[in-house]
């Protein structure tokens, strides 16, 4: 319907770039139409829903009309912004002190929910300043550098342009989030601020948090917050808001039974794959789709989904996103049960939850502001969120939700959800197999916005990325380890794991008095004091072992040194040298005492293994070991494991040794059970306490974990850049710690093969003992270093030897320690209560 007809109007070059065109302008009920006088020109029709404004200019002879559409507005704002930023700079009068020295300044934008506020950042030797062009939220925002606790590089719009600064230890809300116009400026300010932070680069890694979580030092909630933080999720950026999983699947029962597995959601599947019928329909569409294919047309996290949950506490953001109005009342967040049901059955609803569902603030579930959120089709007003029957009120709902997140079932299976969202099932063939494939634009690297020359297309693409949702940064590329902690017994192993790690001994060990004694000893390991020191060798001490010698009725420390190939026995009780034995004209490499306390086994660089009888005081047998030097040995039950620089580990058995010490008139008969091949010389080996797993460390830095029942390889990981000096299993057999010539200490997860902790020490470590959390190691400086692996820091340095510590032994109850070093000394240590 035509409402207005004006003639003699000209349309300016905003629509016809090359010239002005005369014609008639008609305003209709739904659009505006320009009809040119020249029949060769096209008729122009502009719908009202695309017009931002109409500019009319009336003169004596002509009248001009200019249309400004939304795309024109975006381009105009961008051009105006760049012009203003180029003309202005940071006002140095805003410095808090005239003595401040500016380091650099540049144009940035402060990221807030749904808004990026342009301005200038300036960093000095004392403070970080941000001055917004519009003076909002303040004329100048100042952050003193000595107050900064953490900083993180961020992606913004899937580009590496963000920087978030925290002045507290709260991982959820930062003090400021800045978006730079180029990565170089961002990185320069990042490293400048980082220089003010002690151990910043060491403290905040996914591996360090993982180890703390595995050991029960971080709750599931805390760990997920850390992972979100490391994956560039921020409460300041609604397109990258922190993601938390649905964990409960029962929202209809009157009582919530957390002992029933059916109460919980299957954490091994994405939300879109929980309903088989819906998944089948999605797969049928997926198979017929051209490349690049995707299963889900919407994401599990986007600004719309976040504000869906938060509309009652942040209505202004919802109004901004929805062009000044709320969503339809029946599509609002009305009921927990209905929302979960729609996530299971809806054709395009695959959303996860947000951290507020596991927090303490229940205001997002209550309409405390009495907002007019609309009336539903059944006539009811949208008010508070309808809770499940098992929740008496909002506080009770959050409390039970938090309890469910920390429950045994979730703790046993949370690693599988992490694999989907932050881990190896996020991308590639593993994502396809797990039915976890989203639109390509949600992934980092899916498109390079900077390569798009057309500004309108670039802005449209960036807008789509910001509004559609973004997949978190991938933190793990191999399966995430399962959680283990004393609080959770009978932890089941992941179905994908073939590791023969047993749980029965682990469960009982936490209740065992001996284990409690060990824990108490390690808690006081800093109180280790030397009792006596003795120089009984002509060269550095290479290896130590201590055991009960029945015939002498005292404890003996057995030490080996290189290069004079001498085994020497020393009495702890008498504190005196007892005897000396020489087996070969080449150096000895390791020794061990059998469980009967009567036989000592020594290996040598002459490729042989020697057996020495303590009661008879003489060598009893010689075993041809390898084609090269034997580097280390282990013994369990009747099996002897020998490692060699000929790149093999041999497993041999002899029932004669395991039951009685050998007679001087008999020679033992060994049977070769297995020969484990490696790609480089094997320098060290170790068995787990149950004897079911063997770890070998090679000269090329590779760690291999073997199943001793089948002699098959469970994991093979290149951990170090040089020779591995020593390695040992944790008491629960879940982790392997190794030290190498690269001065690194690395913790390897047995189940997944993931390096979950890596520490670069100031000096090379040769030997250590550990309890799974703390490490007592011998340093190149001669000191004993007590490391806390959960924080990757040295908690105490204990002066010991004048040369490098080369050997370390600890008693079963961890109360006695013996060390040997390059200074030819052995030192006996006792834990002081």
């Amino acid at each position: 319907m035509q409402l207005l007809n004006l003639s003699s109007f000209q349309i300016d070059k905003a629509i016809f770039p090359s010239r002005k065109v005369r014609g008639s302008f008609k305003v209709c009920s739904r659009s505006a139409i320009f009809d040119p006088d020249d029949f060769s020109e096209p008729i122009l029709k502009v719908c009202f829903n695309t017009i931002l404004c109409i500019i009319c200019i009336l003169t004596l002879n002509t009248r001009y009309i200019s249309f400004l559409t939304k795309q024109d507005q975006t381009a105009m704002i961008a051009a105006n912004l760049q012009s203003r930023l180029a003309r202005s700079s940071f006002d140095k009068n805003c410095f808090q002190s005239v003595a401040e020295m500016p380091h650099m300044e540049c144009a940035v934008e402060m990221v807030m929910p749904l808004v990026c506020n342009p301005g200038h950042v300036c960093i000095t030797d004392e403070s970080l300043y941000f001055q917004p062009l519009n003076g909002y939220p303040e004329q100048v925002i100042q952050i003193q550098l000595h107050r900064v606790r953490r900083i993180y590089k961020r992606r913004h719009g899937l580009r590496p342009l963000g920087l978030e600064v925290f002045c507290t230890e709260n991982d959820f809300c930062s003090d400021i989030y800045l978006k730079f116009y180029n990565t170089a400026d961002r990185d320069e300010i990042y490293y400048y601020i980082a220089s003010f932070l002690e151990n910043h680069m060491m403290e905040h890694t996914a591996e360090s948090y993982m180890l703390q979580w595995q050991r029960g030092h971080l709750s599931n909630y805390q760990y997920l917050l850390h992972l979100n933080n490391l994956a560039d999720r921020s409460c300041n950026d609604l397109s990258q808001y922190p993601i938390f999983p649905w964990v409960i699947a029962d929202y209809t029962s009157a009582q919530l039974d957390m002992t029933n597995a059916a109460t919980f959601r299957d954490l091994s599947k994405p939300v879109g794959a929980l309903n088989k019928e819906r998944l089948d329909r999605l797969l049928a569409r997926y198979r017929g789709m051209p490349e690049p294919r995707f299963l889900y047309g919407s994401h599990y996290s986007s600004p719309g989904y976040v504000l869906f949950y938060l509309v009652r506490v942040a209505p202004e953001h919802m109004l901004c996103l929805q062009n000044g109005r709320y969503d339809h009342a029946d599509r609002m967040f009305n009921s927990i049960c209905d929302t979960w049901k729609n996530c299971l059955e809806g054709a395009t609803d695959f959303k996860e939850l947000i951290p507020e569902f596991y927090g303490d603030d229940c205001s997002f579930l209550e309409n405390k502001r009495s907002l007019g959120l609309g009336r539903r089709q059944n006539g009811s007003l949208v008010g508070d969120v309808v809770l499940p029957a098992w929740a008496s009120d909002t506080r009770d709902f959050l409390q039970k939700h938090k309890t469910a997140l920390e429950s045994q079932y979730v703790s046993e299976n949370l690693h599988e959800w992490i694999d989907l969202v932050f881990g190896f099932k996020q991308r590639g063939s593993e994502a396809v197999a797990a039915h976890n494939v989203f639109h390509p634009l949600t992934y980092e690297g899916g498109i390079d916005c900077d390569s798009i020359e057309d500004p309108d297309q670039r802005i449209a693409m960036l807008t789509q990325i910001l509004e559609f949702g973004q997949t978190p940064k991938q933190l793990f590329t191999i399966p995430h380890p399962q959680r283990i902690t004393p609080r959770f017994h009978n932890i089941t192993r992941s179905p994908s794991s073939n590791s023969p790690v047993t749980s029965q001994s682990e469960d009982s060990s936490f209740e065992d008095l001996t284990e409690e004694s060990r824990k108490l000893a390690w808690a006081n390991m800093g109180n280790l004091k030397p009792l006596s020191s003795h120089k009984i060798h002509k060269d550095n001490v290479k290896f130590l072992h201590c055991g009960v010698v029945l015939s002498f009725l005292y404890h003996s420390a057995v030490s080996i040194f290189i290069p004079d190939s001498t085994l020497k026995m020393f009495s702890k009780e008498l504190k005196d040298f007892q005897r000396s034995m020489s087996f070969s004209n080449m150096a000895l490499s390791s020794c061990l005492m059998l469980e009967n306390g009567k036989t000592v086994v020594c290996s040598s660089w002459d490729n042989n293994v020697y057996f020495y009888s303590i009661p008879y005081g003489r060598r009893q047998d010689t075993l041809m070991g390898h084609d090269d030097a034997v580097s280390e040995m282990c013994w369990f039950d009747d099996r002897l494991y020998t490692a060699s620089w000929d790149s093999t580990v041999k497993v041999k058995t002899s029932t004669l040794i395991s039951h009685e010490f050998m007679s001087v008139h008999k020679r033992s008969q060994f049977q070769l059970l297995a020969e484990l091949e490696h790609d480089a010389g094997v320098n060290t080996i170790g068995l787990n306490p149950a004897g079911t797993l063997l770890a070998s460390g090679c000269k090329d830095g590779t760690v291999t974990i073997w199943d001793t029942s089948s002699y098959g390889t469970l994991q093979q990981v290149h951990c170090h850049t040089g020779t591995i000096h020593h390695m040992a299993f944790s008491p629960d057999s879940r982790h392997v710690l190794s030290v190498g010539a690269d001065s690194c200490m690395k913790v390897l997860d047995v189940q997944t093969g993931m390096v979950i902790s890596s520490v670069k020490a100031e000096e090379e470590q040769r030997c250590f003992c550990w309890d799974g959390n703390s490490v007592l190691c011998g340093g190149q400086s001669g000191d004993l270093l007590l490391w806390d692996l959960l924080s990757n820091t040295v908690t105490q340095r204990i002066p010991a030897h004048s040369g490098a510590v080369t050997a370390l032994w600890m008693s079963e109850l961890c109360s006695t320690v013996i060390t040997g070093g390059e200074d030819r000394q052995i030192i006996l240590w006792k834990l002081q209560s």
Side-chain angles (χ1 to χ4, degrees):
M1 179 172 59
Q2 181 173 326
L3 303 179
L4 179 65
N5 187 353
L6 299 175
S7 60
S8 300
F9 270 82
Q10 293 182 2
I11 300 298
D12 70 4
K13 60 182 179 180
I15 297 175
F16 293 93
S18 60
R19 62 196 183 286
K20 293 181 173 62
V21 178
R22 181 177 294 275
S24 299
F25 178 65
K26 302 175 182 180
V27 179
C28 303
S29 58
R30 296 185 179 179
S31 62
I33 299 174
F34 177 72
D35 185 7
D37 293 341
D38 187 348
F39 291 107
S40 63
E41 299 290 349
I43 295 176
L44 181 66
K45 178 178 180 180
V46 182
C47 296
F48 288 152
N49 60 2
T50 66
I51 299 176
L52 186 69
C53 66
I54 302 176
I55 302 173
C56 297
I57 303 175
L58 302 180
T59 66
L60 290 175
N61 299 318
T62 58
R63 290 160 288 182
Y64 296 94
I65 290 184
S66 177
F67 294 95
L68 183 63
T69 66
K70 291 182 179 180
Q71 286 189 344
D72 297 326
Q73 178 208 26
T74 304
M76 182 183 71
I77 291 176
N80 183 50
L81 173 61
Q82 294 299 326
S83 175
R84 290 185 62 190
L85 288 172
R87 292 197 307 268
S88 61
S89 62
F90 183 84
D91 184 2
K92 304 297 191 302
N93 293 321
C94 296
F95 285 169
Q96 291 296 305
S97 170
V98 293
E100 285 187 71
M101 297 295 295
H103 175 70
M104 72 165 290
E105 70 167 278
C106 61
V108 298
E109 297 177 21
M110 185 173 74
V111 179
M112 298 182 291
L114 298 179
V115 177
C116 287
N117 199 10
H120 284 88
V121 67
C122 181
I123 189 166
T124 71
D125 56 348
E126 295 183 11
S127 298
L128 173 72
Y129 295 94
F130 172 72
Q131 187 175 43
L133 290 181
N134 59 5
Y136 180 84
E138 300 175 37
Q139 289 296 325
V140 173
I141 296 174
Q142 178 195 11
I143 297 177
Q144 294 176 321
L145 296 182
H146 70 82
R147 293 180 52 240
V148 176
R149 293 295 175 265
R150 300 185 322 280
I151 55 172
Y152 296 96
K153 294 180 181 180
R154 296 294 192 213
R155 297 180 311 170
H156 187 273
L158 299 179
R159 296 180 296 173
L161 299 174
L163 181 69
E164 195 161 20
V165 181
F166 293 80
C167 292
T168 66
E169 293 302 326
N170 184 352
D171 279 339
F172 195 41
C173 293
S174 65
D175 290 77
I176 194 168
Y177 186 166
L178 299 174
K179 186 196 83 171
F180 292 74
Y181 293 107
N182 63 75
T183 306
D185 287 344
R186 189 275 306 269
D187 289 347
E188 182 172 350
I189 288 187
Y190 172 85
Y191 289 114
Y192 185 78
I193 298 177
S195 66
F196 288 81
L197 305 181
E198 184 179 357
N199 296 327
H200 167 74
M201 302 304 293
M202 183 185 300
E203 291 177 355
H204 306 290
T205 63
E207 291 78 13
S208 64
Y209 288 135
M210 181 200 299
L211 186 60
Q212 294 181 56
W213 172 75
Q214 271 199 296
R215 293 288 172 186
H217 295 270
L218 286 177
S219 66
N220 293 337
Y221 175 80
Q222 291 170 322
Y223 185 49
L224 289 176
L225 275 183
H226 284 305
L227 292 185
N228 274 284
N229 197 29
L230 293 173
D232 293 333
R233 314 302 289 190
S234 168
C235 62
N236 285 318
D237 186 355
L238 294 184
S239 66
Q240 297 190 96
Y241 205 77
I243 308 163
F244 272 63
W246 290 92
V247 297
I248 296 177
D250 180 7
Y251 295 99
T252 57
S253 299
Q255 299 293 328
L256 192 63
D257 183 7
M258 295 195 190
T259 62
N260 184 4
T263 300
F264 299 93
R265 166 252 182 111
D266 185 351
L267 290 166
S268 68
K269 298 177 181 178
V271 170
L274 293 175
N275 184 328
K276 187 177 184 305
E277 293 182 4
R278 178 178 65 177
L279 179 62
D280 289 340
R281 294 194 298 269
L282 292 170
L283 286 172
R285 186 191 68 174
Y286 174 80
R287 296 185 186 103
M289 188 181 296
E291 295 290 347
R293 298 186 293 179
F294 55 91
L295 261 178
Y296 310 115
S298 61
H299 207 252
Y300 48 75
S301 177
S302 68
Y305 287 158
V306 173
L307 294 178
F308 170 84
Y309 292 126
L310 299 180
V311 62
R312 290 166 177 81
V313 293
E316 66 278 10
H317 298 324
M318 173 64 83
L319 293 174
C320 179
L321 189 69
Q322 294 281 120
N323 294 322
R325 61 181 182 273
Y326 296 117
D327 201 356
H328 191 281
D330 285 290
R331 291 196 296 266
M332 298 284 279
F333 181 30
N334 293 300
S335 163
I336 301 288
C337 181
D338 291 347
T339 300
W340 168 247
K341 183 179 179 181
N342 197 61
C343 287
L344 288 181
E345 301 175 358
T348 60
D349 193 351
F350 315 109
K351 60 179 172 286
E352 293 278 9
L353 296 182
I354 56 177
E356 283 78 359
F357 278 85
Y358 303 99
D360 298 318
D361 186 359
C362 54
S363 58
F364 76 102
L365 298 171
E366 302 169 349
N367 189 11
K368 292 183 177 180
R369 301 186 184 183
S370 300
L371 300 171
L373 300 176
R375 188 180 297 273
R376 305 182 66 182
Q377 290 184 352
N378 60 12
S380 63
L381 291 172
V382 177
D384 295 344
V385 176
V386 179
L387 303 174
W390 45 257
S392 59
D393 54 29
T394 53
R395 294 188 182 279
D396 184 50
F397 170 77
L398 290 185
Q399 182 58 47
K400 289 177 178 176
H401 226 221
K402 288 190 289 185
T403 302
L405 181 64
E406 305 300 335
S407 66
Q408 178 175 343
Y409 177 89
V410 175
S411 294
E412 291 174 350
N413 296 280
L414 185 59
H415 64 287
E416 298 191 276
W417 184 84
I418 293 173
D419 284 337
L420 294 169
V421 178
F422 302 105
F424 82 114
K425 292 183 180 179
Q426 185 195 94
R427 294 169 175 246
S429 60
E430 293 290 347
V432 174
H435 304 133
N436 194 39
V437 183
F438 293 86
H439 194 281
L441 286 181
T442 68
Y443 296 95
E444 186 175 18
I447 189 170
D448 182 7
C449 289
D450 294 328
S451 66
I452 302 176
E453 296 182 358
D454 188 296
D456 291 336
Q457 290 186 11
R458 184 170 60 252
I459 292 171
M461 187 62 66
L462 182 59
T463 301
Q464 184 175 350
I465 291 172
L466 293 176
E467 294 185 0
F468 185 80
Q470 299 174 52
T471 301
K473 179 195 294 183
Q474 190 175 24
L475 300 179
F476 310 106
T477 56
I478 59 178
H480 191 286
Q482 189 180 31
R483 188 179 193 186
I484 51 159
T485 170
R487 292 185 297 161
F488 302 107
H489 300 287
N490 302 320
I491 292 179
T492 56
R493 188 163 56 247
S494 170
S496 62
S497 172
N498 297 317
S499 172
V501 177
T502 58
S503 61
Q504 182 176 359
S505 62
E506 297 165 7
D507 294 338
S508 61
S509 67
F510 289 119
E511 302 170 359
D512 189 82
L513 184 60
T514 302
E515 182 63 21
E516 292 302 321
S517 299
R518 294 192 187 104
K519 288 183 179 179
L520 184 61
W522 274 101
N524 294 280
M525 195 59 66
N527 295 326
L528 204 61
K529 304 297 182 184
L531 286 182
S532 61
S533 63
H534 309 272
K535 183 179 289 188
I536 59 175
H537 286 291
K538 297 178 182 178
D539 209 328
N540 62 296
V541 179
K542 171 62 178 176
F543 211 88
L544 289 165
H545 196 88
C546 188
V548 179
V549 183
L550 298 178
S551 60
F552 289 178
L553 298 179
Y554 61 78
H555 286 71
S556 288
V558 179
S559 60
I560 299 175
F561 75 96
I562 296 172
D564 71 356
S565 69
T566 305
L567 171 70
K568 293 191 176 183
M569 301 187 69
F570 180 85
S571 169
K572 278 173 49 186
E573 301 292 333
L574 301 178
K575 298 180 181 178
D576 191 20
F577 167 71
Q578 296 297 311
R579 63 172 71 168
S580 176
M581 296 73 66
S582 182
F583 300 113
S584 168
N585 59 358
M586 297 189 70
L588 301 178
S589 56
S590 70
C591 75
L592 58 86
M593 185 177 291
L594 301 189
E595 293 178 357
N596 57 24
K598 305 171 184 178
T599 305
V600 176
V601 186
C602 300
S603 62
S604 172
W605 285 4
D606 65 3
N607 310 351
N608 293 327
V609 177
Y610 299 95
F611 295 85
Y612 177 82
S613 172
I614 295 175
Y616 287 92
R618 59 176 294 178
R619 183 174 67 186
Q620 293 181 276
D621 202 357
T622 301
L623 175 67
M624 177 62 185
H626 291 264
D627 297 332
D628 203 339
V630 179
S631 53
E632 195 167 348
M633 302 178 298
C634 292
W635 182 277
F636 190 85
D637 286 342
D638 62 342
R639 297 183 184 183
L640 175 66
Y641 300 81
T642 58
S644 172
W645 294 345
D646 66 2
S647 305
T648 65
V649 173
K650 291 185 178 180
V651 187
K652 297 181 180 181
T653 182
S654 172
T655 57
L656 182 62
I657 293 182
S658 61
H659 295 101
E660 288 292 337
F661 62 87
M662 293 182 294
S663 167
V664 293
H665 303 294
K666 292 184 179 179
R667 294 183 62 84
S668 58
Q669 298 296 319
F670 283 89
Q671 178 184 356
L672 180 64
L673 297 180
E675 187 169 339
L676 311 180
E677 298 286 344
H678 297 72
D679 294 330
V682 184
N683 198 54
T684 179
I685 56 174
L687 286 165
N688 71 327
T692 57
L693 299 172
L694 173 74
S696 55
C698 296
K699 289 185 173 182
D700 64 356
T702 301
V703 173
T704 307
I705 300 175
W706 308 82
D707 179 355
T708 58
S709 60
S710 63
Y711 301 111
T713 302
L714 298 178
Q715 307 291 348
Q716 189 171 51
V717 184
H718 188 77
C719 292
H720 296 267
T721 56
T723 299
I724 298 176
H725 293 318
H726 185 51
M727 60 193 313
F729 283 90
S730 58
D732 59 12
S733 302
R734 297 284 184 169
H735 299 140
V736 172
L737 175 66
S738 61
V739 295
D742 55 3
S743 301
C744 288
M745 288 197 303
K746 307 226 175 173
V747 179
L748 182 71
D749 184 79
V750 172
Q751 186 183 41
T752 64
M754 179 184 290
V755 177
I756 62 174
S757 181
S758 179
V759 183
K760 178 74 172 180
E762 294 181 357
E763 56 187 282
E764 194 173 332
Q765 316 293 317
R766 292 295 187 94
C767 50
F768 66 84
C769 293
W770 76 312
D771 70 338
N773 296 324
S774 301
V775 185
L776 181 68
C777 56
Q780 193 72 20
S781 65
D783 294 340
L784 294 179
L785 305 178
L786 187 59
W787 283 84
D788 178 11
L789 287 179
L790 301 181
S791 61
N792 289 346
T793 56
V794 176
T795 59
Q796 192 152 352
R797 181 182 288 269
I798 305 171
H801 294 265
S802 59
V805 181
T806 54
L808 191 152
W809 174 89
M810 183 178 288
S811 64
E812 183 180 0
L813 294 181
C814 309
S815 58
T816 302
V817 172
I818 306 175
T819 60
E822 289 184 348
D823 59 0
R824 298 174 288 172
Q825 298 269 358
I826 62 169
I827 303 177
L828 279 65
W829 305 77
K830 193 71 176 180
L831 201 59
Q832 301 295 318
S833 58

